Amino acid sequence: MYLDVPGGFSTQVAILEKPLAEYLPTSNWLLLGDMSVRLIWRSHNMPEPEVSNWVETSEAAKRMETLLPWLEHWAERNVHRNHTLVVVGGGVLSDMGGLAASLYMRGIAWHVWPTSLLAQIDAGIGGKTAVNLDSGKNLAGAFYHPQRMVVANSFLDSLSARHLKSGKWELIKMALIEGDIAWAESLLDCKIPSSSDMKHAIGLKIGIVNRDFKEHGERRLLNLGHTLGHAIESASNFDILHGEAVGLGILAACLLSKSCGVTAFPSGLIEKTAKQLAPLSSRIPVWEKCLPFLLRDKKNEAENNLHFIIPIPASRPIQQKISPEVLESAFAKLFFMVNSH
Ligand code: GLY
């Protein structure tokens, strides 16, 4: 069964307990899968087409050079315009696979089967595809919707505790975008989000993307925690996972709400957030390493003009321009809080 999605949204969405072959294309398909989920795929007797690539993935290898041999391979195997690419993997692979689908023969259809929490509630939805450049994360990419997203909960069983925790920050982000402090607190407290948390977050993201696919306005709210998060992630050489970096970015954004003159966040929530991020304290790069990535971020139209999403309790976030100096002091506070737990 596919979810009811708003009119005009071009991705079919199914949420399943485990992978089911009936959700695959019926013919002319090829597979690009993350090697780490190959056994799970096979354990569910899921088919593999003639053209199948199981690949190792990492944020550091999310680069154009990684993707070009896939395109060559498909051309050698006579993959044609009427083929559908099925991508089975986390956010790194869905970003790269979607970009490869958009490039191959000027665009072939693709389906995504997200296997990480992060990809199931965020990266798999909304057609943002990209690779990284030396200058920063996701700087070369395309908006290219998958025709279908199939979320199978059982993939989450394969995730390490660290990856599950990391993905949870994208869910907490959705709660803060809704201004729903109680939901954010309950997500901070839970180990594994419930299927109703997942369904709710997926529905909210679909609504936002459907109203603003190309990120001219409302979709920018989804960058909450990402401006600083991407810089921390890149400056750490991807030692800090994407979701973890978003968590740190969210904490900075909550701290900034006070200096922006909007309602400050309850200190209990800020403390709890800092405590959960404490295991990262030794990995956080120094401010001087993060700053160059911040200034190059594609969300900033000009240098020294940082576009920030500031969450507000019980309301939707606001978009604000922040000077690097103001952000530096929030970063220092964050650093201190995370280190003192
Ligand atoms: N991951 C943010 C977005 O899809 O806009």
Side-chain angles (χ1 to χ4, degrees):
M1 276 295 285
Y2 293 100
L3 291 188
D4 262 343
V5 292
F9 190 69
S10 49
T11 305
Q12 289 179 309
V13 180
I15 305 182
L16 314 173
E17 270 313 305
K18 55 187 177 57
L20 292 175
E22 66 204 70
Y23 288 84
L24 289 167
T26 45
S27 61
N28 289 341
W29 65 287
L30 62 153
L31 182 143
L32 175 68
D34 186 321
M35 188 65 94
S36 64
V37 294
R38 186 170 64 170
L39 282 180
I40 305 182
W41 188 257
R42 289 182 177 170
S43 73
H44 289 287
N45 294 321
M46 292 295 282
E48 290 167 52
E50 234 178 277
V51 183
S52 290
N53 293 56
W54 291 101
V55 298
E56 309 271 359
T57 58
S58 71
E59 189 67 53
K62 188 177 148 185
R63 301 187 59 90
M64 206 55 107
E65 313 72 289
T66 308
L67 179 157
L68 293 175
W70 305 344
L71 306 181
E72 289 288 359
H73 177 67
W74 299 342
E76 280 158 17
R77 302 295 303 273
N78 292 322
V79 170
H80 215 267
R81 269 218 182 102
N82 60 2
H83 276 75
T84 298
L85 172 69
V86 174
V87 180
V88 183
V92 169
L93 195 65
S94 62
D95 277 12
M96 284 200 291
L99 182 60
S102 80
L103 292 172
Y104 189 72
M105 294 201 164
R106 298 196 183 88
I108 58 170
W110 74 295
H111 293 180
V112 63
W113 290 60
T115 59
S116 67
L117 178 56
L118 193 142
Q120 293 188 347
I121 48 149
D122 187 60
I125 314 160
K128 273 192 181 175
T129 72
V131 289
N132 302 331
L133 299 180
D134 287 339
S135 300
K137 285 247 320 168
N138 298 337
L139 290 186
F143 286 101
Y144 196 62
H145 269 307
Q147 272 71 13
R148 186 178 297 166
M149 175 172 87
V150 184
V151 173
N153 294 333
S154 59
F155 280 118
L156 300 186
D157 300 340
S158 68
L159 294 183
S160 65
R162 184 176 174 201
H163 276 88
L164 259 182
K165 250 177 137 180
S166 164
K168 225 171 65 170
W169 292 107
E170 291 282 4
L171 263 177
I172 292 166
K173 175 192 85 176
M174 291 308 296
L176 294 178
I177 288 174
E178 287 303 292
D180 192 338
I181 301 294
W183 187 24
E185 288 237 45
S186 80
L187 289 167
L188 278 167
D189 289 336
C190 78
K191 220 170 181 180
I192 301 183
S194 68
S195 55
S196 81
D197 286 329
M198 303 277 292
K199 250 188 168 160
H200 187 41
I202 289 172
L204 290 171
K205 171 131 191 205
I206 289 174
I208 293 175
V209 170
N210 199 42
R211 290 188 291 272
D212 179 24
F213 178 43
K214 289 278 177 84
E215 197 175 306
H216 296 303
E218 186 184 4
R219 188 169 180 171
R220 290 194 190 142
L221 299 182
L222 295 170
N223 293 326
L224 170 60
H226 282 64
T227 304
L228 181 60
H230 278 169
I232 290 178
E233 191 185 356
S234 299
S236 79
N237 239 332
F238 306 111
D239 181 37
I240 294 186
L241 301 177
H242 176 72
E244 294 170 339
V246 168
L248 291 163
I250 286 174
L251 177 57
C254 290
L255 292 169
L256 277 167
S257 70
K258 205 170 175 188
S259 38
C260 288
V262 295
T263 319
F265 268 83
S267 55
L269 184 81
I270 294 206
E271 275 299 320
K272 204 180 263 187
T273 304
K275 196 169 174 191
Q276 297 216 355
L277 293 165
L280 300 173
S281 56
S282 62
R283 298 176 192 259
I284 302 175
V286 292
W287 169 253
E288 289 69 24
K289 271 189 139 181
C290 298
L291 186 61
F293 289 101
L294 276 166
L295 297 179
R296 279 186 220 132
D297 191 290
K298 64 186 178 312
K299 291 183 280 299
N300 299 312
E301 285 141 23
E303 285 207 357
N304 296 326
N305 191 14
L306 304 170
H307 286 257
F308 238 76
I309 309 297
I310 309 291
I312 308 176
S315 169
R316 284 205 125 189
I318 51 165
Q319 304 183 38
Q320 189 118 341
K321 288 176 189 168
I322 299 283
S323 75
E325 294 73 30
V326 170
L327 183 57
E328 185 179 0
S329 69
F331 183 88
K333 197 157 181 204
L334 167 161
F335 201 82
F336 174 77
M337 288 187 82
V338 168
N339 271 284
S340 50
H341 278 284

mmCIF file of all heavy atoms in Angstrom, residues 122-123 125-126 128 170 173 205 209 215 219 222-223 226, ligand 1:
data_model
loop_
_atom_site.group_PDB
_atom_site.id
_atom_site.type_symbol
_atom_site.label_atom_id
_atom_site.label_comp_id
_atom_site.label_asym_id
_atom_site.label_seq_id
_atom_site.Cartn_x
_atom_site.Cartn_y
_atom_site.Cartn_z
ATOM 1 N N ASP A 122 14.681 11.649 5.892
ATOM 2 C CA ASP A 122 15.135 12.911 5.297
ATOM 3 C C ASP A 122 15.694 12.740 3.890
ATOM 4 O O ASP A 122 15.071 13.120 2.905
ATOM 5 C CB ASP A 122 16.166 13.576 6.219
ATOM 6 C CG ASP A 122 16.534 14.964 5.726
ATOM 7 O OD1 ASP A 122 15.629 15.796 5.629
ATOM 8 O OD2 ASP A 122 17.711 15.201 5.404
ATOM 9 N N ALA A 123 16.897 12.127 3.786
ATOM 10 C CA ALA A 123 17.608 12.152 2.500
ATOM 11 C C ALA A 123 16.841 11.489 1.357
ATOM 12 O O ALA A 123 16.949 11.910 0.203
ATOM 13 C CB ALA A 123 18.972 11.492 2.665
ATOM 14 N N ILE A 125 13.729 11.532 0.748
ATOM 15 C CA ILE A 125 12.520 12.262 0.334
ATOM 16 C C ILE A 125 12.901 13.622 -0.230
ATOM 17 O O ILE A 125 13.644 14.374 0.421
ATOM 18 C CB ILE A 125 11.588 12.534 1.551
ATOM 19 C CG1 ILE A 125 11.425 11.295 2.401
ATOM 20 C CG2 ILE A 125 10.252 13.117 1.117
ATOM 21 C CD1 ILE A 125 10.960 11.590 3.816
ATOM 22 N N GLY A 126 12.414 13.935 -1.400
ATOM 23 C CA GLY A 126 12.542 15.323 -1.853
ATOM 24 C C GLY A 126 13.512 15.562 -2.984
ATOM 25 O O GLY A 126 13.695 16.699 -3.405
ATOM 26 N N LYS A 128 16.714 15.711 -3.488
ATOM 27 C CA LYS A 128 18.016 16.395 -3.458
ATOM 28 C C LYS A 128 19.088 15.327 -3.682
ATOM 29 O O LYS A 128 19.195 14.378 -2.891
ATOM 30 C CB LYS A 128 18.257 17.065 -2.102
ATOM 31 C CG LYS A 128 17.702 18.457 -2.016
ATOM 32 C CD LYS A 128 18.253 19.139 -0.769
ATOM 33 C CE LYS A 128 17.711 20.542 -0.628
ATOM 34 N NZ LYS A 128 18.147 21.186 0.632
ATOM 35 N N GLU A 170 17.825 14.133 12.805
ATOM 36 C CA GLU A 170 17.001 14.674 11.708
ATOM 37 C C GLU A 170 15.512 14.643 12.101
ATOM 38 O O GLU A 170 14.735 15.473 11.649
ATOM 39 C CB GLU A 170 17.219 13.887 10.403
ATOM 40 C CG GLU A 170 18.589 14.056 9.764
ATOM 41 C CD GLU A 170 18.761 15.384 8.981
ATOM 42 O OE1 GLU A 170 17.852 16.234 8.984
ATOM 43 O OE2 GLU A 170 19.840 15.535 8.376
ATOM 44 N N LYS A 173 15.031 17.501 14.445
ATOM 45 C CA LYS A 173 14.950 18.700 13.599
ATOM 46 C C LYS A 173 13.504 18.918 13.143
ATOM 47 O O LYS A 173 12.985 20.034 13.207
ATOM 48 C CB LYS A 173 15.875 18.525 12.387
ATOM 49 C CG LYS A 173 15.783 19.646 11.388
ATOM 50 C CD LYS A 173 16.485 19.303 10.091
ATOM 51 C CE LYS A 173 15.581 18.526 9.156
ATOM 52 N NZ LYS A 173 16.181 18.247 7.849
ATOM 53 N N LYS A 205 7.726 16.128 5.968
ATOM 54 C CA LYS A 205 8.749 16.468 4.963
ATOM 55 C C LYS A 205 8.134 16.479 3.567
ATOM 56 O O LYS A 205 8.435 17.367 2.758
ATOM 57 C CB LYS A 205 9.934 15.504 5.045
ATOM 58 C CG LYS A 205 10.880 15.708 3.873
ATOM 59 C CD LYS A 205 12.318 15.836 4.182
ATOM 60 C CE LYS A 205 13.070 16.303 2.932
ATOM 61 N NZ LYS A 205 14.437 15.964 2.877
ATOM 62 N N VAL A 209 8.313 19.659 0.968
ATOM 63 C CA VAL A 209 8.946 19.531 -0.357
ATOM 64 C C VAL A 209 7.915 19.800 -1.453
ATOM 65 O O VAL A 209 8.210 20.432 -2.472
ATOM 66 C CB VAL A 209 9.558 18.122 -0.520
ATOM 67 C CG1 VAL A 209 9.988 17.879 -1.950
ATOM 68 C CG2 VAL A 209 10.748 17.954 0.420
ATOM 69 N N GLU A 215 13.427 24.826 -3.050
ATOM 70 C CA GLU A 215 13.968 25.519 -1.871
ATOM 71 C C GLU A 215 14.073 27.029 -2.061
ATOM 72 O O GLU A 215 15.122 27.641 -1.881
ATOM 73 C CB GLU A 215 15.343 24.926 -1.498
ATOM 74 C CG GLU A 215 15.769 25.284 -0.086
ATOM 75 C CD GLU A 215 17.071 24.601 0.334
ATOM 76 O OE1 GLU A 215 17.153 23.375 0.236
ATOM 77 O OE2 GLU A 215 17.977 25.332 0.760
ATOM 78 N N ARG A 219 11.225 25.334 2.271
ATOM 79 C CA ARG A 219 12.125 24.172 2.366
ATOM 80 C C ARG A 219 13.428 24.533 3.074
ATOM 81 O O ARG A 219 14.112 23.659 3.609
ATOM 82 C CB ARG A 219 12.387 23.579 0.968
ATOM 83 C CG ARG A 219 13.140 22.265 1.049
ATOM 84 C CD ARG A 219 13.189 21.504 -0.258
ATOM 85 N NE ARG A 219 13.915 20.267 -0.077
ATOM 86 C CZ ARG A 219 14.002 19.294 -0.982
ATOM 87 N NH1 ARG A 219 13.392 19.420 -2.138
ATOM 88 N NH2 ARG A 219 14.696 18.199 -0.731
ATOM 89 N N LEU A 222 14.261 23.186 6.460
ATOM 90 C CA LEU A 222 14.863 21.852 6.642
ATOM 91 C C LEU A 222 16.377 21.939 6.817
ATOM 92 O O LEU A 222 17.033 20.952 7.137
ATOM 93 C CB LEU A 222 14.525 20.943 5.455
ATOM 94 C CG LEU A 222 13.048 20.608 5.281
ATOM 95 C CD1 LEU A 222 12.804 19.926 3.952
ATOM 96 C CD2 LEU A 222 12.578 19.706 6.420
ATOM 97 N N ASN A 223 16.930 23.119 6.581
ATOM 98 C CA ASN A 223 18.373 23.299 6.805
ATOM 99 C C ASN A 223 18.678 23.625 8.265
ATOM 100 O O ASN A 223 19.838 23.911 8.601
ATOM 101 C CB ASN A 223 18.922 24.423 5.912
ATOM 102 C CG ASN A 223 18.854 24.037 4.450
ATOM 103 O OD1 ASN A 223 19.020 22.862 4.118
ATOM 104 N ND2 ASN A 223 18.584 24.995 3.578
ATOM 105 N N HIS A 226 21.902 22.635 9.796
ATOM 106 C CA HIS A 226 22.783 22.159 8.723
ATOM 107 C C HIS A 226 23.895 23.138 8.344
ATOM 108 O O HIS A 226 24.928 22.715 7.847
ATOM 109 C CB HIS A 226 21.979 21.809 7.457
ATOM 110 C CG HIS A 226 21.286 20.479 7.564
ATOM 111 N ND1 HIS A 226 20.297 20.235 8.502
ATOM 112 C CD2 HIS A 226 21.442 19.315 6.882
ATOM 113 C CE1 HIS A 226 19.871 18.988 8.367
ATOM 114 N NE2 HIS A 226 20.551 18.403 7.399
HETATM 115 N N1 GLY B 1 17.687 17.510 3.644
HETATM 116 C C1 GLY B 1 17.086 18.767 3.470
HETATM 117 C C2 GLY B 1 16.163 18.827 2.323
HETATM 118 O O1 GLY B 1 15.773 17.811 1.763
HETATM 119 O O2 GLY B 1 15.789 19.910 1.940
#
